[in-house]
Structures are given as C-alpha cells and as structure tokens.
Amino acid sequence: MKEKIYLYHTNDLHSHFENWPRIRDFIGQRKKYHQLENENVFLFDIGDHVDRSHSLTEGSKGKENIRLLNEVGYDAVTIGNNEGITFSHNQLQHLYDEAEFPVVVANLFTEKGVRPEWAKPYTILTTSKGTKLGIVGVTAEYGPFYERLKWRVTSAKDELKAQVRVLKEKVDIVIFLSHLGIREDEWVAEECPDIDIIMGGHTHHVLEDGKFHNKTLLAAAGKYGMYVGQVEIEFDHSIKRVTARSAKLVETALLPASLQEEEELCEWERQGKELLSTAITTLEKPLEHNPLSTSPLSQLLCSALKEWCKADCAFLTGGLLLDALPEGPVTEYDLHRILPHPINPCLVELSGAELKEVLRQSKNAEWPTMEVKGLGFRGTILGAFIYDGIELVADTNQFLVNHEPIINDQLYRVATVDMFTFGYFFPELQRAKKHYFMPEFLRDLLKQRIK
C-alpha cells in the first residue's frame, strides 16, 4: 500500500502581514481538500514569523503572531533569531504560552543548561494509516546574543545529529525544520543521510521546485510570505520506505484576494497603534531630521547612545531614523514608527589606530545613499554618519576624540549599533572586543532621552 502525505510550510514571514490573509485562506482551503480526499496534511513554520518592526508584533510582544499561527492550525514550528534574540528572556519564555502547537528547537537551553518547558527537541506526528513523522528543529547559533539574554544556544549540528539518532529508531520519516540557511542545510544533507526532507529558512532562499542534495529533498519558501511551500511524499508501507518526494512553491501574489483583506490589514495596524498609544512626553518644538546630514534628532540619538554605553565617543547613521518628531505628544507608536529596527546598542573597544581606520572608512562618499537590506535594518538608505565626541579637523583629515588627537596605542570605548559589528562595513569592529546591550533597542534609548 502506498500513502500520499502532504506538507505545507512557511518561513521568514517577518510580520509582513500584508500576505497573511491569502496564506491563511489558501492553507485552509488545501486542508479541506486533502481531508475530503482522505489524505494526510501537516503544516509547519520555520521561524522568524515575528518581527518587531510591525506595530502589532511590537505592541503584543509577539502574542498576536502566535494567535495567527493558532488560527491556521500549525502542527509544529521552530524559532528563528527574531523570536530568539529580539525579546527579553521573560518575553520569550512566555511567547508561546497560548500556542496550540509544539515548538521544536533542539539547541536552545537556559543559562543553566536546562531545556525550557515550551521547547521540544522533536515531536512525532502520525498519519491516519499509522506512518510516523519525526519532526526535529534547530535555530541559528547567535551565541553572544543569546548569552546576553540568559539563554544558551548549543551546536545546531551536534544537537541535530543526536536527535536524529533517537528519531530514526522511532519513526518512518524524518523531517528537519531548519532555521540555519541554505549552506548549512546542504551540509546537513551530506552529514545526516537519515533525514528525508529539510524545510529551510533564515537566508531567505527560494527553491521553486525543491532541490535534491545528497538524496535529501531541500525545500524553502523565500521571505515575507511571498510563497507557501508544498511537499508531497509517497510512502510505501510494504517496504516501509519513502519512494517519492517532490516540492513546489505557490506564489501568494497570484492567489485570490482574501475577503475584506484591506480592512483586515488596516485593523491590525490600528490594533498595533492602540497597543503602543502610551504617551511618553510632549515636545514643545519639533525634532527635525534629515537622513543625509546631521540633524537635531539624529544628534540626540547619537548622544543618547554614547551616554547609554558609557563610551568615550559614538557613531551611527542618519538612515536609522525614518522620520522627524513633530511638536506635541510623543507615544510609543511614534518612536516605533521612526525606529522600527530590532537593532541593539553595542560598546566596542578599539585602539586609536583601529578607530582612525574605522572613521576613515565612515567617510566613504558612496555609503550615505547606499540601500541596505538585512543586518536588522528596516529602513531604506544607510544615511550620513553622525558622531558624538568625534570631530574631523577641517583640511587636515585628522580626527579628534573629545577635542584631543587620537593616540594610536590608546584604548577607546566606542558606542555604535550592532549592525556595524557583523563585518559587512567595518572588519575592525567584527574582530574587536564587544559588549551588546540587550534587549534594549535604539528606540528604548531615545525614549529615555526625550522623557
């Protein structure tokens, strides 16, 4: 007897709710169809469903994302870095309190080495014909960030191998929910031949018809809910083996519009705004902003960054701020609107020689208008560099820190943002000793300052 099993999957929605009504409707329709055909269907999310750049996610601390997953009827999910390291320890601890599905993440522990109650190393699902599916998940290893939040993330590959060894004795099919990225998934396909299917995310890769790598089927559905993934499995009960596997993507934009789609999206935005309606202060005059030059608002933020980190100097870019603040009441929603990024302050220790090199690079004339994607950045252009405690002497190209020439072998405490420490812009910052401030975001610093 041969059995058909259907799997649907989403990944890296990043709270792009504009695509969610169609995803919800499509999956609901497919579930009904398969059930009428007496076919088994399961649904998975591969992490980064939440993103605090959306006001509804921010205002509900991710709880509304969980409600949406419950509504569609997911069978298991894993977590991405946005669930794992953009919330406080307590917020993540309670994020899934009302989840109606298992959260499968094998490589996350408390700082004492205990797996949290809400996280399972694996789960087993059974079809109507008795076929057992073992579902294992791991998430990307952002060790220093998890440690700052009093979590411990262990080797994804080691934990995965350990759980697969357990599962292969208990189940007929092994499915891996991977928030590791395409290159790591290919490694897993080579090193863990007992895994039948890898559903991947994190690097936002699109595999339109899936991809076989070392006899393992890889599937992935891009980002932002632009696609829904579908995997079809054929399992032969007479020989107890998977005899066929295939994957495809369904483009969300080509699906029929959901009933009252626009009204629903507006309502989610309204709810987010209401949840963030707490007044912080009242401005007697506007705080103007221009992303391509130093402005009162960007200078205020840079000053707040330096003070927060107790640094000798600080720098960031004007593109981090998306708008000015007008005079009058300022709410949590206003600060979220102009600083939506899940970006943390960071204190970096640099020698004077290293600091000079970083500052020279920051004067790259092409950088301010560069469009930036990823790294936690949720704006458009990088913007001009803004400094506090740093100045460039005209016509000399000499930098000063607190009005004094930079001394090459002196150690400086430099405040900046975490996105500049990942190596894309400044290799010196990637190599340097760093201290990340978590779970505070830039908007939290600005909130304290304008109070």
Side-chain angles (χ1 to χ4, degrees), residues 44-272:
F44 307 100
D45 186 77
I46 322 300
D48 277 2
H49 189 280
V50 309
D51 193 313
R52 290 179 60 181
S53 62
H54 194 287
S55 60
L56 184 61
T57 300
E58 175 73 355
S60 69
K61 298 299 182 281
K63 294 297 184 90
E64 283 298 304
N65 293 72
I66 307 308
R67 183 187 66 78
L68 295 177
L69 291 167
N70 285 340
E71 182 184 11
V72 180
Y74 277 72
D75 292 287
V77 310
T78 194
I79 71 168
N81 43 289
N82 273 267
E83 287 90 0
I85 60 174
T86 68
F87 291 111
S88 70
H89 181 97
N90 188 61
Q91 288 166 346
L92 177 56
Q93 180 76 335
H94 294 287
L95 176 62
Y96 296 99
D97 282 354
E98 298 173 12
E100 298 170 3
F101 46 79
V103 181
V104 183
V105 53
N107 64 326
L108 181 70
F109 300 84
T110 68
E111 60 183 348
K112 295 181 180 180
V114 178
R115 185 172 278 117
E117 291 184 5
W118 53 267
K120 310 299 180 186
Y122 63 82
T123 191
I124 296 176
L125 304 172
T126 306
T127 72
S128 58
K129 294 181 173 61
T131 306
K132 294 185 181 298
L133 283 65
I135 315 300
V136 59
V138 296
T139 196
E141 300 168 36
Y142 288 85
F145 291 92
Y146 277 103
E147 289 171 13
R148 293 294 304 166
L149 295 168
K150 302 186 184 305
W151 297 106
R152 181 185 303 170
V153 63
T154 57
S155 167
K157 295 172 182 176
D158 290 345
E159 292 290 348
L160 177 63
K161 286 182 174 181
Q163 300 306 327
V164 170
R165 282 195 295 269
V166 173
L167 274 177
K168 70 177 183 178
E169 303 299 326
K170 299 182 177 183
V171 303
D172 302 297
I173 302 171
V174 178
I175 298 168
F176 173 32
L177 310 184
S178 169
H179 199 83
L180 297 181
I182 181 63
R183 296 293 168 251
E184 298 298 300
D185 290 351
E186 291 173 345
W187 180 94
V188 169
E190 294 167 6
E191 295 294 319
C192 301
D194 291 312
I195 295 175
D196 297 285
I197 295 161
I198 299 175
M199 297 180 187
H202 186 49
T203 46
H204 301 176
H205 48 292
V206 175
L207 300 177
E208 292 186 6
D209 299 303
K211 172 185 176 181
F212 277 93
H213 193 86
N214 199 38
K215 299 182 180 180
T216 297
L217 176 62
L218 277 59
K223 63 179 180 180
Y224 303 164
M226 294 178 180
Y227 301 94
V228 176
Q230 177 183 314
V231 174
E232 181 179 335
I233 304 171
E234 182 182 83
F235 184 77
D236 191 328
H237 285 262
S238 63
I239 58 175
K240 292 290 184 181
R241 280 178 46 198
V242 172
T243 50
R245 291 160 290 170
S246 63
K248 68 177 183 180
L249 295 179
V250 176
E251 189 172 354
T252 311
L254 301 181
L255 294 172
S258 180
L259 186 66
Q260 296 183 321
E261 183 176 287
E262 291 302 320
E263 292 86 345
E264 194 167 24
L265 296 176
C266 290
E267 176 61 17
W268 287 336
E269 185 65 30
R270 187 201 65 78
Q271 290 176 13

Side-chain angles (χ1 to χ4, degrees), residues 382-397:
L382 186 63
F385 276 80
I386 313 300
Y387 309 95
D388 191 279
I390 298 169
E391 55 188 303
L392 174 63
V393 179
D395 302 323
T396 68
N397 288 325

